[in-house]
Amino acid sequence: MENLERTCASLRAQISATETKLAGLRRELESAEKAAIDIRKQEDTKTEEENKNRETRTWPLLAEEYRRYGRQMIVPQLGLQGQLKLRSSRMLIVGAGGLGCPAAQYLAGAGVGTLGLVDGDTVEFSNLHRQVLHRRRTVGKFKVDSAIEYLQELNHHSTYIPYRAHLTPQDAPEIFKDYDLILDCTDNPATRYLISDTAVLLGKPLVSASALRTEGQLMVLNNPPRPAGDATGGPCYRCVFPKPPPANSVVSCADGGILGPVVGTMGLLQALEAIKVITASDSTPRNPPSLLIFSAYSSPQFRSIKLRSRRANCAVCSAEAKVSLDTLKSGSTDYEFFCGTATPETLLSPEERISPQEYRARHPDTFAAGTTPAVDGKHTMIDVREKVQFDICNIDNSINIPISSILSSRPTPAAEDGIPAPLPSWLPRDIASPDSTDPVYVVCRLGNDSQVAVKRLKELGLDRGGQRFIGDIQGGLHAWRRQVDPEWPEY
């Protein structure tokens, strides 16, 4: 009883100390926010004074701006007039990640007058290898705040506007209306269609890019922007992709991987195309719409595919348009429904799935204190991640059968005349042995591919009509890290 009372007293003391510390932190935050407001007011006053001085100056730019932008102003395609167009332009970047960071960095450096950034995500350590505006000290901050912190140091002449939320159909028109050009730096189909539709309906040119693994794509859409039904306008995203890809075929950077320089290249090209669109004069020849494809490991690395003009039956930019600002704001244009859901289905019953903790309880002999779990001869652990992931980290004595090998094999033909059908070549002999009834466990990264593999193994009859357990580790290796091995690498 005395020990419990001492514990309670200790906890009360810790809570009191924590509350005191929290109150101090709140006071510090309040002071910091007041200081930030004061500095912003001073900067705004300074900007107003600079603008007034410009009106009485002989030269249209400040002396510092001539020094800062001089190297690009002497490029014939830009010149002073192009620089003035950049300074008065307003560009919106949707997505402050791998594409948005380099695009924002070079647009701010080029002297774009106002940059808006839309993103509801916060900075994670996994972002730092490719999202070049973020730093270790900004992990946990909103990406837009982290990016603007960097951009303000790069160029204080530009104005930066954060939108700390994911883009929605209801908010998109209100945000887009104040900008001259939109950059789509997102990574999911539903948002891409939303951005394109809104840009077309508000008459904004759009620079769209994507990147995955070692490849990227780039398009300049709705350029020139024309009203719906005007065939002289540039095609929109729906013109190029009238139907979205199947939801289960969409691979994100988190699942498929990405090389930093690849997504960086595409973001830089977005910035370049945005500058070209904004600074173009009436006499500048307009390139026909095209899809630029970049492949880091191909030769040549770049190739271009000519795009068709606007589709006569496009749902947004044709005379038969069904999408309008009213359908966007009312929510009747459902982008999630249009693109489908990427939420993985549960393919197995609860009896066919076990948690990492349950696996540990079933096979305690395979766990030695202080070591990585090992597999003994009484059961088999199959890891269906691709080899490149298996080589990063794997459970001792597990075997690697990539899900791509399992899915690419042809279905096994039915047995004829009592002769058993041949089993696929990827299947190990000891598992295929008709005498073996040892359980088989399948694991993957998140617990999705493992379900597909279990179903395939059962279709091959390896569960011996239910006499042999074949199931997956629910939650995959992410759950393994949480429940079994905290030191398991997180990637």
Side-chain angles (χ1 to χ4, degrees):
M1 185 66 180
E2 292 180 1
N3 289 336
L4 285 175
E5 289 178 350
R6 284 197 296 270
T7 299
C8 292
S10 175
L11 290 172
R12 291 191 193 98
Q14 291 180 47
I15 291 172
S16 178
T18 302
E19 289 176 343
T20 302
K21 184 177 180 180
L22 180 60
L25 290 173
R26 284 174 175 161
R27 288 193 296 271
E28 291 179 16
L29 175 60
E30 184 178 355
S31 300
E33 289 176 338
K34 288 181 179 179
I37 293 172
D38 292 339
I39 293 173
R40 179 60 61 84
K41 288 180 179 178
Q42 293 174 8
E43 291 177 347
D44 291 342
T45 302
K46 182 179 178 181
T47 301
E48 291 177 4
E49 292 176 353
E50 289 176 348
N51 291 335
K52 290 179 181 178
N53 292 335
R54 282 195 186 103
E55 297 175 0
T56 60
R57 285 175 56 85
T58 304
W59 311 109
L61 298 175
L62 296 173
E64 181 188 333
E65 291 178 300
Y66 281 101
R67 293 193 298 270
R68 178 184 286 267
Y69 308 126
R71 299 295 174 87
Q72 67 185 34
M73 283 195 295
I74 61 177
V75 174
Q77 289 87 343
L78 190 75
L80 174 62
Q81 294 306 312
Q83 189 62 52
L84 294 174
K85 288 180 180 180
L86 285 176
R87 194 183 67 181
S88 62
S89 68
R90 298 174 61 89
M91 300 189 190
L92 181 70
I93 298 175
V94 186
L99 293 167
C101 281
Q105 187 176 22
Y106 274 86
L107 290 174
V112 169
T114 300
L115 271 179
L117 287 91
V118 182
D119 201 313
D121 288 338
T122 56
V123 180
E124 300 176 359
F125 277 105
S126 62
N127 304 146
L128 301 183
H129 87 282
R130 68 191 184 281
Q131 300 181 14
V132 293
L133 297 185
H134 309 312
R135 298 291 182 269
R136 186 176 64 178
R137 60 184 171 82
T138 63
V139 169
K141 281 188 176 183
F142 278 106
K143 286 185 177 180
V144 293
D145 293 334
S146 171
I148 290 174
E149 182 179 312
Y150 180 102
L151 297 173
Q152 285 174 333
E153 293 183 11
L154 174 65
N155 190 352
H156 69 282
H157 294 289
S158 298
T159 299
Y160 307 102
I161 302 176
Y163 299 91
R164 303 176 186 90
H166 296 296
L167 194 68
T168 65
Q170 291 72 30
D171 296 334
E174 185 64 23
I175 295 174
F176 282 29
K177 68 181 178 60
D178 295 326
Y179 292 90
D180 306 312
L181 180 143
I182 314 298
L183 288 88
D184 180 355
C185 299
T186 62
D187 62 358
N188 70 86
T191 307
R192 291 188 182 281
Y193 283 102
L194 168 60
I195 293 171
S196 176
D197 292 354
T198 309
V200 171
L201 295 173
L202 294 177
K204 314 291 184 181
L206 169 65
V207 182
S208 177
S210 62
L212 182 67
R213 298 190 179 100
T214 63
E215 298 181 347
Q217 296 182 353
L218 174 76
M219 297 180 291
V220 179
L221 302 170
N222 197 40
N223 185 42
R226 295 285 188 269
D230 188 337
T232 64
C236 71
Y237 195 79
R238 286 183 187 264
C239 293
V240 182
F241 303 109
K243 295 182 179 180
N248 57 8
S249 71
V250 178
V251 180
S252 67
C253 291
D255 294 328
I258 182 70
L259 283 183
V262 172
V263 70
T265 296
M266 304 316 298
L268 294 179
L269 289 172
Q270 281 186 279
L272 175 60
E273 293 300 326
I275 291 172
K276 287 164 60 179
V277 171
I278 289 296
T279 61
S281 64
D282 295 336
S283 60
T284 303
R286 193 181 301 276
N287 295 325
S290 63
L291 170 65
L292 180 68
I293 299 176
F294 171 70
S295 182
Y297 284 83
S298 297
S299 182
Q301 293 180 319
F302 290 94
R303 59 192 179 97
S304 182
I305 299 175
K306 185 178 179 180
L307 296 177
R308 295 179 178 179
S309 55
R310 287 184 169 182
R311 286 182 176 267
N313 61 347
C314 178
V316 182
C317 64
S318 72
E320 304 175 7
K322 299 177 182 179
V323 178
S324 66
L325 290 176
D326 289 337
T327 65
L328 253 68
K329 294 177 180 178
S330 66
S332 58
T333 301
D334 190 332
Y335 291 93
E336 295 295 337
F337 177 79
F338 176 66
C339 294
T341 175
T343 303
E345 298 181 11
T346 300
L347 303 178
L348 304 179
S349 66
E351 294 75 21
E352 298 172 292
R353 315 194 74 189
I354 67 170
S355 69
Q357 286 180 329
E358 290 173 321
Y359 169 81
R360 185 173 190 167
R362 286 190 186 186
H363 303 282
D365 294 340
T366 66
F367 290 80
T371 64
T372 303
V375 177
D376 59 18
K378 297 180 181 179
H379 67 277
T380 302
M381 176 74 77
I382 299 176
D383 189 325
V384 296
R385 294 175 298 159
E386 296 302 314
K387 184 178 184 301
V388 66
Q389 295 191 48
F390 185 80
D391 289 344
I392 293 174
C393 53
N394 56 76
I395 298 173
D396 285 354
N397 297 325
S398 60
I399 60 175
N400 183 215
I401 306 177
I403 188 66
S404 58
S405 299
I406 297 175
L407 296 178
S408 63
S409 63
R410 295 181 179 180
T412 303
E416 296 181 1
D417 300 328
I419 302 175
L423 293 172
S425 58
W426 50 261
L427 192 64
R429 291 184 180 180
D430 53 344
I431 298 179
S433 171
D435 300 326
S436 175
T437 57
D438 294 337
V440 176
Y441 301 93
V442 183
V443 69
C444 66
R445 189 179 178 208
L446 299 173
N448 301 323
D449 289 341
S450 57
Q451 297 185 68
V452 177
V454 167
K455 289 186 68 68
R456 183 75 178 101
L457 292 173
K458 290 192 171 185
E459 288 171 359
L460 294 172
L462 299 178
D463 62 339
R464 316 286 184 238
Q467 297 180 20
R468 180 190 209 178
F469 176 83
I470 299 180
D472 85 320
I473 304 297
Q474 189 169 9
L477 293 171
H478 275 212
W480 185 278
R481 183 178 187 274
R482 293 193 305 270
Q483 300 179 24
V484 175
D485 184 4
E487 296 182 359
W488 185 267
E490 182 178 13
Y491 65 93

